[in-house]
Amino acid sequence: MISYVLLILIGALGMSVLDGDPTSVSPDEWAIYAVMLYSTWKLIQRMVDLIRENGEGL
């Protein structure tokens, strides 16, 4: 789970560094955004699985 959180944080920092032109989005920023979305989705899935394993309802 820590790896997903780190990917999200590093992605946010990377997008800030690569943002040379605030009026448009570069392909690099789109790729980082996709990694951040994937990491967020996997983190949420993992958290839901842990909640289900521990027997707590959502």
Side-chain angles (χ1 to χ4, degrees), residues 3-53:
S3 61
Y4 297 129
V5 173
L6 287 176
L7 277 174
I8 294 167
L9 291 175
I10 291 169
L13 290 173
M15 286 182 86
S16 298
V17 169
L18 290 175
D19 192 19
D21 182 13
T23 61
S24 66
V25 180
S26 70
D28 296 335
E29 290 174 312
W30 280 116
I32 292 171
Y33 184 64
V35 170
M36 289 173 66
L37 283 176
Y38 174 79
S39 298
T40 303
W41 175 247
K42 295 303 281 184
L43 180 63
I44 290 170
Q45 282 183 330
R46 182 67 181 134
M47 290 171 63
V48 168
D49 289 342
L50 286 174
I51 290 171
R52 287 183 181 156
E53 287 174 7

